[in-house]
Amino acid sequence: MKIIIDKEACIGDGICESLCPDVFQMADDGKAEVIDEQSNEPCVQDAIDACPTEAISIEE
Ligand code: SF4
């Protein structure tokens, strides 16, 4: 299992970072990046649900 972000889809609004800062952070390119790809924190699903462009997904 791996949490991934589609950088093309990300619009850099920072919602995922604010909901789940141990897993997502904003990178220098203004897009989100995953800092803990294996996290099973519940907030990961919150971020997936909240992302306006559906840029976050989980790869099995
Ligand atoms: S919530 Fe979605 S669009 Fe917003 S920064 Fe995170 S991945 Fe990008």
Side-chain angles (χ1 to χ4, degrees):
M1 194 206 88
K2 185 178 170 191
I3 302 161
I4 52 175
I5 290 181
D6 178 349
K7 291 250 185 185
E8 298 290 315
C10 175
I11 56 170
D13 59 20
I15 291 174
C16 52
E17 182 185 59
S18 60
L19 287 173
C20 205
D22 290 342
V23 179
F24 303 100
Q25 73 178 14
M26 302 311 292
D28 291 342
D29 63 2
K31 311 274 181 147
E33 66 183 5
V34 180
I35 51 177
D36 183 2
E37 292 177 339
Q38 307 294 325
S39 174
N40 55 12
E41 283 194 45
C43 64
V44 173
Q45 188 60 50
D46 294 341
I48 290 171
D49 293 342
C51 176
T53 61
E54 299 182 356
I56 309 165
S57 57
I58 293 176
E59 200 171 65
E60 300 297 336

Short mmCIF file of all heavy atoms in Angstrom, two decimals:
data_model
loop_
_atom_site.label_atom_id
_atom_site.label_comp_id
_atom_site.label_asym_id
_atom_site.label_seq_id
_atom_site.Cartn_x
_atom_site.Cartn_y
_atom_site.Cartn_z
N MET A 1 0.83 -1.20 0.00
CA MET A 1 0.00 0.00 0.00
C MET A 1 0.87 1.26 0.00
O MET A 1 1.85 1.33 0.71
CB MET A 1 -0.87 -0.01 1.26
CG MET A 1 -2.00 0.98 1.20
SD MET A 1 -2.51 1.49 2.87
CE MET A 1 -1.38 2.86 3.13
N LYS A 2 0.49 2.17 -0.85
CA LYS A 2 1.32 3.38 -0.97
C LYS A 2 0.39 4.56 -1.27
O LYS A 2 -0.47 4.47 -2.16
CB LYS A 2 2.30 3.16 -2.12
CG LYS A 2 3.30 4.26 -2.31
CD LYS A 2 4.24 3.88 -3.48
CE LYS A 2 5.10 5.06 -3.85
NZ LYS A 2 5.81 4.83 -5.11
N ILE A 3 0.59 5.63 -0.54
CA ILE A 3 -0.22 6.84 -0.77
C ILE A 3 0.48 7.67 -1.84
O ILE A 3 1.69 7.93 -1.74
CB ILE A 3 -0.33 7.67 0.52
CG1 ILE A 3 -0.95 6.82 1.64
CG2 ILE A 3 -1.16 8.93 0.29
CD1 ILE A 3 -0.68 7.36 3.03
N ILE A 4 -0.26 8.04 -2.87
CA ILE A 4 0.35 8.80 -3.96
C ILE A 4 -0.45 10.07 -4.27
O ILE A 4 -1.65 10.14 -4.04
CB ILE A 4 0.49 7.95 -5.24
CG1 ILE A 4 -0.83 7.30 -5.63
CG2 ILE A 4 1.57 6.90 -5.08
CD1 ILE A 4 -0.76 6.54 -6.95
N ILE A 5 0.26 11.04 -4.79
CA ILE A 5 -0.37 12.30 -5.21
C ILE A 5 -0.12 12.50 -6.70
O ILE A 5 1.01 12.37 -7.17
CB ILE A 5 0.19 13.49 -4.42
CG1 ILE A 5 -0.30 13.41 -2.97
CG2 ILE A 5 -0.23 14.83 -5.06
CD1 ILE A 5 0.15 14.53 -2.09
N ASP A 6 -1.18 12.80 -7.40
CA ASP A 6 -1.08 13.14 -8.81
C ASP A 6 -0.74 14.63 -8.90
O ASP A 6 -1.58 15.49 -8.68
CB ASP A 6 -2.42 12.84 -9.50
CG ASP A 6 -2.41 13.21 -10.97
OD1 ASP A 6 -1.45 13.87 -11.43
OD2 ASP A 6 -3.37 12.85 -11.66
N LYS A 7 0.53 14.90 -9.17
CA LYS A 7 0.99 16.29 -9.18
C LYS A 7 0.33 17.13 -10.27
O LYS A 7 0.22 18.34 -10.15
CB LYS A 7 2.51 16.34 -9.35
CG LYS A 7 3.27 15.82 -8.13
CD LYS A 7 3.98 16.95 -7.41
CE LYS A 7 4.84 16.42 -6.27
NZ LYS A 7 5.43 17.51 -5.48
N GLU A 8 -0.07 16.46 -11.34
CA GLU A 8 -0.77 17.18 -12.41
C GLU A 8 -2.12 17.68 -11.92
O GLU A 8 -2.57 18.77 -12.27
CB GLU A 8 -0.99 16.25 -13.62
CG GLU A 8 0.28 15.75 -14.27
CD GLU A 8 1.01 16.87 -15.00
OE1 GLU A 8 0.35 17.64 -15.72
OE2 GLU A 8 2.23 16.97 -14.84
N ALA A 9 -2.77 16.87 -11.08
CA ALA A 9 -4.11 17.21 -10.61
C ALA A 9 -4.07 18.17 -9.43
O ALA A 9 -5.00 18.96 -9.23
CB ALA A 9 -4.86 15.94 -10.23
N CYS A 10 -3.02 18.11 -8.63
CA CYS A 10 -2.95 18.94 -7.41
C CYS A 10 -2.93 20.42 -7.75
O CYS A 10 -2.17 20.85 -8.62
CB CYS A 10 -1.68 18.57 -6.63
SG CYS A 10 -1.40 19.61 -5.17
N ILE A 11 -3.77 21.19 -7.06
CA ILE A 11 -3.80 22.64 -7.29
C ILE A 11 -3.14 23.41 -6.14
O ILE A 11 -3.20 24.63 -6.08
CB ILE A 11 -5.24 23.16 -7.51
CG1 ILE A 11 -6.16 22.77 -6.33
CG2 ILE A 11 -5.80 22.63 -8.82
CD1 ILE A 11 -7.53 23.46 -6.36
N GLY A 12 -2.53 22.66 -5.21
CA GLY A 12 -1.72 23.29 -4.17
C GLY A 12 -2.47 24.09 -3.14
O GLY A 12 -1.94 25.06 -2.60
N ASP A 13 -3.69 23.69 -2.82
CA ASP A 13 -4.44 24.46 -1.83
C ASP A 13 -4.08 24.14 -0.38
O ASP A 13 -4.50 24.84 0.53
CB ASP A 13 -5.95 24.30 -2.06
CG ASP A 13 -6.40 22.86 -1.97
OD1 ASP A 13 -5.67 22.03 -1.38
OD2 ASP A 13 -7.49 22.56 -2.49
N GLY A 14 -3.32 23.08 -0.18
CA GLY A 14 -2.82 22.77 1.16
C GLY A 14 -3.82 22.10 2.11
O GLY A 14 -3.53 21.94 3.30
N ILE A 15 -4.96 21.70 1.60
CA ILE A 15 -5.97 21.08 2.47
C ILE A 15 -5.44 19.78 3.09
O ILE A 15 -5.62 19.53 4.28
CB ILE A 15 -7.27 20.81 1.69
CG1 ILE A 15 -7.95 22.14 1.34
CG2 ILE A 15 -8.21 19.92 2.50
CD1 ILE A 15 -9.17 22.00 0.44
N CYS A 16 -4.78 18.98 2.27
CA CYS A 16 -4.29 17.69 2.80
C CYS A 16 -3.28 17.91 3.92
O CYS A 16 -3.31 17.21 4.94
CB CYS A 16 -3.69 16.85 1.68
SG CYS A 16 -2.45 17.69 0.68
N GLU A 17 -2.40 18.88 3.75
CA GLU A 17 -1.41 19.17 4.79
C GLU A 17 -2.10 19.63 6.08
O GLU A 17 -1.71 19.22 7.17
CB GLU A 17 -0.43 20.24 4.32
CG GLU A 17 0.65 20.54 5.33
CD GLU A 17 1.54 21.70 4.90
OE1 GLU A 17 1.01 22.81 4.70
OE2 GLU A 17 2.74 21.49 4.76
N SER A 18 -3.10 20.47 5.95
CA SER A 18 -3.74 20.97 7.16
C SER A 18 -4.54 19.87 7.87
O SER A 18 -4.61 19.85 9.10
CB SER A 18 -4.63 22.18 6.87
OG SER A 18 -5.63 21.86 5.96
N LEU A 19 -5.08 18.92 7.11
CA LEU A 19 -5.84 17.82 7.72
C LEU A 19 -4.93 16.73 8.28
O LEU A 19 -5.28 16.07 9.25
CB LEU A 19 -6.78 17.19 6.69
CG LEU A 19 -8.01 17.99 6.29
CD1 LEU A 19 -8.72 17.30 5.14
CD2 LEU A 19 -8.95 18.16 7.46
N CYS A 20 -3.78 16.55 7.65
CA CYS A 20 -2.97 15.37 7.96
C CYS A 20 -1.48 15.71 7.80
O CYS A 20 -0.80 15.18 6.92
CB CYS A 20 -3.38 14.26 7.00
SG CYS A 20 -3.07 12.60 7.59
N PRO A 21 -0.97 16.57 8.67
CA PRO A 21 0.39 17.09 8.48
C PRO A 21 1.51 16.07 8.67
O PRO A 21 2.64 16.32 8.24
CB PRO A 21 0.49 18.21 9.52
CG PRO A 21 -0.56 17.91 10.54
CD PRO A 21 -1.66 17.20 9.81
N ASP A 22 1.22 14.93 9.30
CA ASP A 22 2.26 13.91 9.43
C ASP A 22 2.48 13.13 8.14
O ASP A 22 3.45 12.39 8.00
CB ASP A 22 1.89 12.91 10.54
CG ASP A 22 1.96 13.54 11.93
OD1 ASP A 22 2.61 14.60 12.06
OD2 ASP A 22 1.36 12.98 12.86
N VAL A 23 1.55 13.28 7.21
CA VAL A 23 1.61 12.48 5.98
C VAL A 23 1.82 13.35 4.74
O VAL A 23 2.51 12.94 3.81
CB VAL A 23 0.31 11.65 5.82
CG1 VAL A 23 0.33 10.83 4.53
CG2 VAL A 23 0.11 10.75 7.03
N PHE A 24 1.23 14.55 4.75
CA PHE A 24 1.34 15.42 3.57
C PHE A 24 2.03 16.72 3.94
O PHE A 24 1.84 17.25 5.04
CB PHE A 24 -0.06 15.75 3.03
CG PHE A 24 -0.89 14.54 2.69
CD1 PHE A 24 -1.86 14.07 3.56
CD2 PHE A 24 -0.71 13.88 1.48
CE1 PHE A 24 -2.63 12.95 3.25
CE2 PHE A 24 -1.46 12.75 1.16
CZ PHE A 24 -2.43 12.29 2.05
N GLN A 25 2.82 17.22 3.00
CA GLN A 25 3.37 18.56 3.18
C GLN A 25 3.46 19.24 1.82
O GLN A 25 3.50 18.58 0.78
CB GLN A 25 4.73 18.53 3.87
CG GLN A 25 5.86 18.03 3.00
CD GLN A 25 7.21 18.06 3.73
OE1 GLN A 25 7.29 18.20 4.94
NE2 GLN A 25 8.28 17.90 2.96
N MET A 26 3.48 20.57 1.85
CA MET A 26 3.59 21.30 0.60
C MET A 26 5.06 21.36 0.21
O MET A 26 5.93 21.72 1.01
CB MET A 26 3.01 22.71 0.74
CG MET A 26 1.54 22.72 1.17
SD MET A 26 0.49 21.61 0.19
CE MET A 26 0.55 22.45 -1.40
N ALA A 27 5.35 21.02 -1.03
CA ALA A 27 6.72 21.00 -1.53
C ALA A 27 7.08 22.35 -2.14
O ALA A 27 6.22 23.22 -2.32
CB ALA A 27 6.87 19.89 -2.56
N ASP A 28 8.35 22.51 -2.50
CA ASP A 28 8.83 23.76 -3.07
C ASP A 28 8.15 24.10 -4.40
O ASP A 28 8.11 25.26 -4.80
CB ASP A 28 10.35 23.69 -3.30
CG ASP A 28 11.10 23.66 -1.97
OD1 ASP A 28 10.50 24.04 -0.94
OD2 ASP A 28 12.27 23.25 -1.98
N ASP A 29 7.65 23.09 -5.09
CA ASP A 29 6.97 23.34 -6.37
C ASP A 29 5.53 23.80 -6.19
O ASP A 29 4.80 23.97 -7.16
CB ASP A 29 7.04 22.10 -7.27
CG ASP A 29 6.31 20.88 -6.67
OD1 ASP A 29 5.72 21.00 -5.59
OD2 ASP A 29 6.35 19.81 -7.31
N GLY A 30 5.11 23.98 -4.91
CA GLY A 30 3.76 24.46 -4.66
C GLY A 30 2.70 23.38 -4.67
O GLY A 30 1.51 23.65 -4.50
N LYS A 31 3.13 22.15 -4.85
CA LYS A 31 2.22 21.01 -4.85
C LYS A 31 2.45 20.20 -3.58
O LYS A 31 3.50 20.30 -2.94
CB LYS A 31 2.49 20.11 -6.07
CG LYS A 31 2.56 20.85 -7.39
CD LYS A 31 1.21 21.05 -7.99
CE LYS A 31 1.31 21.77 -9.32
NZ LYS A 31 0.30 21.37 -10.27
N ALA A 32 1.47 19.38 -3.27
CA ALA A 32 1.61 18.52 -2.09
C ALA A 32 2.53 17.34 -2.38
O ALA A 32 2.65 16.90 -3.53
CB ALA A 32 0.24 18.02 -1.66
N GLU A 33 3.19 16.86 -1.33
CA GLU A 33 3.96 15.63 -1.45
C GLU A 33 3.68 14.76 -0.24
O GLU A 33 3.27 15.25 0.81
CB GLU A 33 5.46 15.92 -1.60
CG GLU A 33 6.08 16.55 -0.38
CD GLU A 33 7.56 16.89 -0.59
OE1 GLU A 33 8.07 16.71 -1.71
OE2 GLU A 33 8.18 17.35 0.38
N VAL A 34 3.92 13.47 -0.41
CA VAL A 34 3.68 12.52 0.67
C VAL A 34 4.98 12.30 1.42
O VAL A 34 6.01 12.00 0.82
CB VAL A 34 3.16 11.18 0.10
CG1 VAL A 34 2.92 10.18 1.22
CG2 VAL A 34 1.88 11.40 -0.70
N ILE A 35 4.94 12.46 2.74
CA ILE A 35 6.16 12.25 3.53
C ILE A 35 6.11 10.93 4.30
O ILE A 35 7.09 10.52 4.88
CB ILE A 35 6.42 13.43 4.49
CG1 ILE A 35 5.19 13.77 5.32
CG2 ILE A 35 6.88 14.64 3.68
CD1 ILE A 35 5.46 14.90 6.34
N ASP A 36 4.95 10.27 4.32
CA ASP A 36 4.86 8.95 4.94
C ASP A 36 3.92 8.08 4.10
O ASP A 36 2.72 8.01 4.34
CB ASP A 36 4.34 9.08 6.38
CG ASP A 36 4.28 7.74 7.10
OD1 ASP A 36 4.67 6.73 6.50
OD2 ASP A 36 3.85 7.73 8.27
N GLU A 37 4.49 7.45 3.10
CA GLU A 37 3.69 6.72 2.09
C GLU A 37 2.94 5.53 2.67
O GLU A 37 1.97 5.06 2.09
CB GLU A 37 4.59 6.22 0.96
CG GLU A 37 5.16 7.34 0.12
CD GLU A 37 6.12 6.83 -0.94
OE1 GLU A 37 6.66 5.71 -0.80
OE2 GLU A 37 6.33 7.56 -1.93
N GLN A 38 3.42 5.01 3.80
CA GLN A 38 2.81 3.80 4.36
C GLN A 38 1.85 4.11 5.50
O GLN A 38 1.35 3.19 6.16
CB GLN A 38 3.92 2.87 4.90
CG GLN A 38 5.01 2.55 3.91
CD GLN A 38 4.52 1.72 2.75
OE1 GLN A 38 3.64 0.88 2.92
NE2 GLN A 38 5.05 1.97 1.57
N SER A 39 1.59 5.37 5.76
CA SER A 39 0.78 5.73 6.93
C SER A 39 -0.61 5.13 6.86
O SER A 39 -1.24 5.07 5.81
CB SER A 39 0.65 7.25 7.01
OG SER A 39 -0.26 7.59 8.04
N ASN A 40 -1.08 4.66 8.01
CA ASN A 40 -2.48 4.21 8.07
C ASN A 40 -3.30 5.10 9.00
O ASN A 40 -4.31 4.68 9.55
CB ASN A 40 -2.57 2.73 8.48
CG ASN A 40 -1.85 2.46 9.78
OD1 ASN A 40 -1.47 3.38 10.48
ND2 ASN A 40 -1.66 1.19 10.11
N GLU A 41 -2.84 6.32 9.16
CA GLU A 41 -3.60 7.26 9.98
C GLU A 41 -4.97 7.52 9.34
O GLU A 41 -5.07 7.66 8.12
CB GLU A 41 -2.86 8.60 10.08
CG GLU A 41 -1.70 8.59 11.04
CD GLU A 41 -1.22 10.02 11.35
OE1 GLU A 41 -2.07 10.89 11.59
OE2 GLU A 41 -0.01 10.24 11.32
N PRO A 42 -6.01 7.61 10.15
CA PRO A 42 -7.36 7.88 9.60
C PRO A 42 -7.45 9.18 8.82
O PRO A 42 -8.27 9.30 7.91
CB PRO A 42 -8.25 7.95 10.85
CG PRO A 42 -7.47 7.33 11.95
CD PRO A 42 -6.02 7.42 11.60
N CYS A 43 -6.60 10.14 9.15
CA CYS A 43 -6.68 11.42 8.46
C CYS A 43 -6.31 11.32 6.99
O CYS A 43 -6.61 12.22 6.20
CB CYS A 43 -5.83 12.47 9.17
SG CYS A 43 -4.07 12.14 9.19
N VAL A 44 -5.65 10.23 6.59
CA VAL A 44 -5.35 10.05 5.17
C VAL A 44 -6.65 9.99 4.36
O VAL A 44 -6.78 10.64 3.32
CB VAL A 44 -4.51 8.77 4.93
CG1 VAL A 44 -4.36 8.49 3.44
CG2 VAL A 44 -3.15 8.90 5.60
N GLN A 45 -7.60 9.21 4.86
CA GLN A 45 -8.88 9.12 4.16
C GLN A 45 -9.61 10.47 4.18
O GLN A 45 -10.26 10.85 3.20
CB GLN A 45 -9.76 8.03 4.78
CG GLN A 45 -11.03 7.73 3.98
CD GLN A 45 -10.74 7.26 2.56
OE1 GLN A 45 -9.94 6.35 2.35
NE2 GLN A 45 -11.36 7.89 1.56
N ASP A 46 -9.48 11.20 5.29
CA ASP A 46 -10.10 12.54 5.35
C ASP A 46 -9.53 13.43 4.24
O ASP A 46 -10.26 14.17 3.58
CB ASP A 46 -9.81 13.20 6.71
CG ASP A 46 -10.49 12.48 7.86
OD1 ASP A 46 -11.44 11.71 7.60
OD2 ASP A 46 -10.06 12.68 9.01
N ALA A 47 -8.21 13.35 4.04
CA ALA A 47 -7.57 14.16 3.01
C ALA A 47 -8.01 13.74 1.62
O ALA A 47 -8.28 14.57 0.75
CB ALA A 47 -6.05 14.07 3.15
N ILE A 48 -8.11 12.42 1.41
CA ILE A 48 -8.59 11.91 0.11
C ILE A 48 -9.99 12.45 -0.16
O ILE A 48 -10.28 12.93 -1.27
CB ILE A 48 -8.58 10.37 0.09
CG1 ILE A 48 -7.14 9.84 0.08
CG2 ILE A 48 -9.37 9.83 -1.10
CD1 ILE A 48 -7.01 8.34 0.27
N ASP A 49 -10.83 12.41 0.84
CA ASP A 49 -12.21 12.86 0.67
C ASP A 49 -12.29 14.37 0.46
O ASP A 49 -13.18 14.86 -0.24
CB ASP A 49 -13.05 12.47 1.89
CG ASP A 49 -13.23 10.97 2.02
OD1 ASP A 49 -13.00 10.26 1.03
OD2 ASP A 49 -13.59 10.51 3.12
N ALA A 50 -11.37 15.10 1.08
CA ALA A 50 -11.45 16.56 1.05
C ALA A 50 -10.75 17.18 -0.16
O ALA A 50 -11.04 18.32 -0.53
CB ALA A 50 -10.84 17.13 2.33
N CYS A 51 -9.85 16.46 -0.78
CA CYS A 51 -9.09 17.03 -1.90
C CYS A 51 -10.05 17.39 -3.04
O CYS A 51 -10.75 16.52 -3.56
CB CYS A 51 -8.05 16.03 -2.38
SG CYS A 51 -7.16 16.64 -3.83
N PRO A 52 -10.07 18.66 -3.45
CA PRO A 52 -11.05 19.08 -4.45
C PRO A 52 -10.81 18.52 -5.85
O PRO A 52 -11.72 18.50 -6.67
CB PRO A 52 -10.91 20.61 -4.45
CG PRO A 52 -9.54 20.87 -3.93
CD PRO A 52 -9.25 19.76 -2.95
N THR A 53 -9.61 18.07 -6.12
CA THR A 53 -9.32 17.55 -7.46
C THR A 53 -9.08 16.04 -7.48
O THR A 53 -8.63 15.49 -8.48
CB THR A 53 -8.08 18.26 -8.06
OG1 THR A 53 -6.95 17.99 -7.21
CG2 THR A 53 -8.30 19.76 -8.15
N GLU A 54 -9.34 15.40 -6.35
CA GLU A 54 -9.15 13.94 -6.23
C GLU A 54 -7.73 13.53 -6.63
O GLU A 54 -7.52 12.53 -7.32
CB GLU A 54 -10.20 13.18 -7.05
CG GLU A 54 -11.62 13.49 -6.57
CD GLU A 54 -12.70 12.71 -7.33
OE1 GLU A 54 -12.38 11.99 -8.29
OE2 GLU A 54 -13.87 12.85 -6.93
N ALA A 55 -6.78 14.34 -6.19
CA ALA A 55 -5.38 14.09 -6.57
C ALA A 55 -4.71 13.02 -5.71
O ALA A 55 -3.64 12.52 -6.07
CB ALA A 55 -4.59 15.40 -6.48
N ILE A 56 -5.31 12.69 -4.58
CA ILE A 56 -4.69 11.73 -3.65
C ILE A 56 -5.34 10.37 -3.85
O ILE A 56 -6.56 10.26 -3.91
CB ILE A 56 -4.87 12.16 -2.19
CG1 ILE A 56 -4.43 13.60 -1.98
CG2 ILE A 56 -4.10 11.22 -1.25
CD1 ILE A 56 -4.91 14.20 -0.66
N SER A 57 -4.51 9.34 -3.94
CA SER A 57 -5.06 7.99 -4.03
C SER A 57 -4.15 7.01 -3.31
O SER A 57 -3.02 7.33 -2.94
CB SER A 57 -5.27 7.59 -5.49
OG SER A 57 -4.05 7.67 -6.18
N ILE A 58 -4.69 5.82 -3.13
CA ILE A 58 -3.92 4.75 -2.49
C ILE A 58 -3.72 3.64 -3.51
O ILE A 58 -4.67 3.15 -4.11
CB ILE A 58 -4.64 4.22 -1.24
CG1 ILE A 58 -4.66 5.31 -0.17
CG2 ILE A 58 -3.93 2.97 -0.71
CD1 ILE A 58 -5.42 4.93 1.09
N GLU A 59 -2.44 3.31 -3.71
CA GLU A 59 -2.06 2.27 -4.65
C GLU A 59 -1.90 0.98 -3.85
O GLU A 59 -1.15 0.95 -2.87
CB GLU A 59 -0.72 2.67 -5.26
CG GLU A 59 -0.36 2.01 -6.55
CD GLU A 59 0.89 2.68 -7.13
OE1 GLU A 59 1.96 2.58 -6.50
OE2 GLU A 59 0.78 3.31 -8.20
N GLU A 60 -2.60 -0.06 -4.23
CA GLU A 60 -2.51 -1.32 -3.46
C GLU A 60 -1.25 -2.08 -3.82
O GLU A 60 -0.77 -2.02 -4.92
CB GLU A 60 -3.74 -2.19 -3.74
CG GLU A 60 -5.04 -1.52 -3.36
CD GLU A 60 -5.17 -1.22 -1.86
OE1 GLU A 60 -4.50 -1.90 -1.06
OE2 GLU A 60 -5.90 -0.30 -1.51
S1 SF4 B 1 -5.77 18.61 -1.00
FE1 SF4 B 1 -5.42 17.86 -3.10
S2 SF4 B 1 -5.24 19.71 -4.37
FE2 SF4 B 1 -5.01 20.31 -2.22
S3 SF4 B 1 -2.79 20.33 -1.88
FE3 SF4 B 1 -3.57 18.32 -1.24
S4 SF4 B 1 -3.35 17.00 -3.07
FE4 SF4 B 1 -3.18 19.13 -3.74
#
